[in-house]
Each structure stands twice: as structure tokens, then as C-alpha cells.
Amino acid sequence: MSRKIYLNGEIVPEEEAKISVFDHGYLYGDGIFEGIRAYNGRVFKLEEHIKRLYQSAKTIMLDIGLTPEEMQEAILETIRANLLRDAYIRVVVSRGVGDLGLNPLKCKKPTIVIIASEIALYDQELYEKGLHVMTVPTRRNGAEMVNPRIKSLNYLNNIMARIEANLIGAPEAIMLNNEGYVAECTGDNIFIIEGDQLITPPKYAGILKGIKREVVIEIGETLGLKLREELFTRYDLYNADECFLTGTAAEVIPVVKIDGRVIGDGKPGAYTKKIIEEFRRYANSNGVPIYPEEDEVKVS
Ligand code: PMP
């Protein structure tokens, strides 16, 4: 079945979802996006994703032209048009069509695209066995340059790191910031566990403030883990008891080897396994209902 795409207020078949080559999202990477998941008929952390989208937009002075409520409805409508209950949803808002100069004043209205589809980033086996990841030479953009907190269409920084990971056969790259502290991965946040301490780089390290990162921080608290949001180095990575990554596409995935150093006993750690279990339970029972009439049926 052909997917149905939301394009500037209309739901159209995939084949008709076309945008101009003069769109500044295409010409300059001038725009923002979100990746969102739906599990079991509910959109997980929808309000948080919409909030982050509007914060990214505000930071780059992009007027989306829809209220957050209208955006929420557009997202739900797109998922319903594709009859999905479990989905990966991509919302892209670009500066829109302009001329060949980069001046955004030439772009009169943004282009809004919503895609609802499926995604499987890693094989199930890797969630059980864990990833072998590597640090790479490309450093994460500094927060004082293009702040990584903006989820922008400029992913070249991460793509360069991803190319380096590909060259050495690693499924994901750990990026350091310009000071040499661990920042994040190309599409995920990173956590380590030392004893009962849950440690993750702070926002000012130059990271995207991941929504799954926030969920895992909450889960960690319920498991009695003490949160430390602080800068740390590769030394701390190598000597951690456990390590895992979080992201909308990857969810929570264990890391068992970094730069050839075995983490813990080389298997996903006990806390990591518990966090994965709790995350799945939480994600499957929370979120904005896609088909609200289903809930009414259940209630009555
Ligand atoms: N860091 C980067 C660079 C990302 O692109 C993402 C999203 N894929 C994340 C972290 C994780 O963020 P979230 O949990 O909101 O998906």
C-alpha cells in the first residue's frame, strides 16, 4: 500500500508528495525536524516532541504557521490515514521555497511534511547482545555554534561521524565535544552506570536533549539509581560497569564494547536490562491515543 504523506495541510499519496528544488530545506538544510514513535495505538511523548519542535523553530526564527494543537492533530491525522498503531513518525518543517540566495526572508511560507511509517534501526539480536561502538575523530558541534539542542536539518556533523563509524565497521559512533568530553552518538544519547550512579553528559556538553534520555532518567530514579549529569571522558566510558544508548529510533540499546575495551563483563548489564524492560512497559501503555474511540469502547 502506498503511504499517505501530510504535505502543507493535505494528505497525499507518497508518489505525489513532492517539494520544490528551491526549498531552502534542500538547498541549505534550513529547517528542523522531529522523530516520534507510536506504540500500541498511542503516540509516545507527543507533547514533549511538539514542544521541542517549536523550541527548535523559535531558536532559528522559523514560523511554523500552525499552533502546537494543530500540529498535534496533523500528526494524528497522518498516522490514521496510514492505519497505523505502531509507527515511526517524522515531522519536517523547512524554511520553504526561496531563491538561490540563502536569505530566509525570501521564503514566504514553510514547507511542512509528516511521514508515518515503520523503522527498525538495529536487529533484535543486538538488544540482547549489545553494541560494539567506537569514538570517532569528528567532534560534536559546540553549543555556541549551531547548538545541538536545535534538531535541525543540518546533520552533516553527525553524518561525518557516521561515515567514520562505517569505515571501521561500527554500528554507531560516540562523538566527543571540542574539549574532549563525551557528548553523544550520531543519533542517540549516551549513559554509563557506575555502581548505583547513572551518569550522562549535561545539556551544555553540546547534545540534543533527548526525550528518551528524559524517560530513562525517570526510570533510573524509580530503580534507585542516582543521577549525575556531568562531563566525563573516554576513561570513564572504558571503566564503566554498564553503558547504553537512548533514542526514539533505537529506544534503549546496550553497549558492551567501546574502542575495543570490554564494558563490565561484556554482556548487557543488570540495570540496563531492567531499564529496557521498564522502558518497553512504559512506552506500551502511555501516550496520546491515535484512535480515541477505542478508549471509549474500553471505558464503557
Ligand atoms: N542525539 C541526536 C543527535 C539525535 O538525533 C537523537 C534523536 N535521534 C537523540 C540524541 C535522541 O533523542 P530522542 O530521545 O528525543 O529521540
Side-chain angles (χ1 to χ4, degrees):
M1 193 187 89
S2 154
R3 275 179 288 234
K4 302 279 191 296
I5 312 289
Y6 175 100
L7 177 61
N8 297 328
E10 280 178 63
I11 301 275
V12 297
E14 186 177 340
E15 301 71 34
E16 289 168 31
K18 299 205 169 108
I19 58 171
S20 164
V21 293
F22 289 95
D23 195 295
H24 279 208
Y26 179 70
L27 287 177
Y28 292 111
D30 183 356
I32 51 168
F33 75 103
E34 275 299 318
I36 311 172
R37 286 290 277 265
Y39 299 102
N40 197 23
R42 289 168 184 272
V43 188
F44 191 52
K45 298 282 170 193
L46 181 56
E47 277 163 32
E48 287 78 354
H49 281 285
I50 291 176
K51 185 169 173 207
R52 190 170 65 184
L53 182 77
Y54 280 76
Q55 287 174 335
S56 294
K58 184 171 188 185
T59 311
I60 70 161
M61 292 190 84
L62 171 62
D63 180 3
I64 296 179
L66 295 180
T67 64
E69 294 72 28
E70 286 166 341
M71 177 58 77
Q72 164 154 337
E73 200 36 51
I75 293 169
L76 293 171
E77 194 190 327
T78 311
I79 308 171
R80 286 184 208 124
N82 288 281
L83 306 172
L84 291 165
R85 296 179 54 79
D86 293 277
Y88 177 87
I89 303 113
R90 175 63 59 94
V91 181
V92 185
V93 186
S94 78
R95 190 80 61 180
V97 176
D99 63 18
L100 286 176
L102 63 76
N103 189 353
L105 286 177
K106 296 285 173 65
C107 307
K108 296 299 173 212
K109 67 176 180 49
T111 302
I112 306 178
V113 172
I114 307 172
I115 305 167
S117 188
E118 283 122 30
I119 195 169
L121 202 59
Y122 298 113
D123 289 344
Q124 187 48 38
E125 201 194 354
L126 288 172
Y127 288 86
E128 281 138 36
K129 290 198 173 148
L131 300 175
H132 294 185
V133 299
M134 297 286 282
T135 55
V136 293
T138 294
R139 299 291 174 103
R140 190 73 175 105
N141 281 336
E144 68 286 4
M145 294 153 200
V146 179
N147 196 320
R149 288 193 61 187
I150 306 166
K151 203 162 164 59
S152 85
L153 295 181
N154 272 277
Y155 254 51
L156 213 41
N157 180 218
N158 312 50
I159 289 166
M160 301 265 284
R162 183 59 214 232
I163 288 169
E164 289 158 357
N166 290 346
L167 287 172
I168 48 180
E172 177 55 295
I174 298 176
M175 300 177 80
L176 309 179
N177 66 16
N178 213 25
E179 286 75 50
Y181 292 108
V182 174
E184 61 177 338
C185 294
T186 66
D188 303 305
N189 292 113
I190 186 161
F191 284 83
I192 55 175
I193 294 177
E194 275 176 25
D196 65 352
Q197 317 273 303
L198 180 65
I199 310 166
T200 196
K203 289 176 294 228
Y204 61 82
I207 61 167
L208 182 76
K209 190 166 166 265
I211 287 164
K212 301 306 122 68
R213 176 183 179 275
E214 303 296 302
V215 171
V216 161
I217 287 173
E218 271 174 43
I219 294 175
E221 262 170 37
T222 66
L223 298 178
L225 285 164
K226 294 183 187 68
L227 176 69
R228 278 166 48 198
E229 275 184 273
E230 62 182 42
L231 296 172
F232 57 87
T233 63
R234 284 186 295 173
Y235 177 93
D236 303 289
L237 284 178
Y238 302 155
N239 293 291
D241 297 328
E242 303 185 27
C243 178
F244 60 85
L245 314 180
T246 64
T248 293
E251 302 175 320
V252 182
I253 187 152
V255 170
V256 294
K257 211 185 238 187
I258 304 173
D259 297 346
R261 279 79 160 181
V262 172
I263 308 305
D265 63 0
K267 296 200 194 90
Y271 276 123
T272 304
K273 285 203 260 185
K274 193 84 192 129
I275 290 170
I276 292 175
E277 194 185 307
E278 289 298 317
F279 175 82
R280 290 200 173 139
R281 200 176 29 195
Y282 183 38
N284 272 303
S285 51
N286 279 279
V288 177
I290 303 166
Y291 307 98
E293 49 309 342
E294 269 184 18
D295 272 24
E296 280 164 31
V297 174
K298 270 184 212 151
V299 172
S300 58

